[in-house]
Amino acid sequence: INIEERSIPLKNIQDIKYTASLLGRMLGYGNLDVESAGQEDSEAMVNVGRAAPFRAAIFEAMEHYGDDDYPG
């Protein structure tokens, strides 16, 4: 069984596109496409559970990036 992991530093994330089918929204999953600085292609995250709240948490962390007192 193969596995591939990639990471994008929080400071390099430019945008995160969220898509979900009707069934995905009903069951609480969706797809995220992460666009980063310096990359031509986005990184696809497919069938992510709670994708919309996860996306919101990433944007919140981006907003507070570098804040010493941010608990996240």
Side-chain angles (χ1 to χ4, degrees), residues 29-52:
Y29 69 88
N31 303 323
L32 299 174
D33 289 312
V34 182
E35 295 179 16
S36 63
Q39 298 289 329
E40 291 182 21
D41 297 326
S42 61
E43 292 296 324
M45 300 173 67
V46 181
N47 296 328
V48 177
R50 298 181 33 87

Side-chain angles (χ1 to χ4, degrees), residues 8-67:
I8 300 172
L10 193 60
K11 65 182 179 179
N12 289 356
I13 295 175
Q14 298 293 311
D15 192 23
I16 304 171
K17 178 182 172 185
Y18 164 68
T19 58
S21 65
L22 176 60
L23 182 61
R25 289 192 309 270
M26 291 171 57
L27 298 177
Y29 69 88
N31 303 323
L32 299 174
D33 289 312
V34 182
E35 295 179 16
S36 63
Q39 298 289 329
E40 291 182 21
D41 297 326
S42 61
E43 292 296 324
M45 300 173 67
V46 181
N47 296 328
V48 177
R50 298 181 33 87
F54 182 60
R55 177 180 181 258
I58 293 171
F59 281 133
E60 182 177 353
M62 289 169 60
E63 184 178 320
H64 295 284
Y65 181 76
D67 292 354

Side-chain angles (χ1 to χ4, degrees), residues 5 37 49 72:
E5 294 183 16

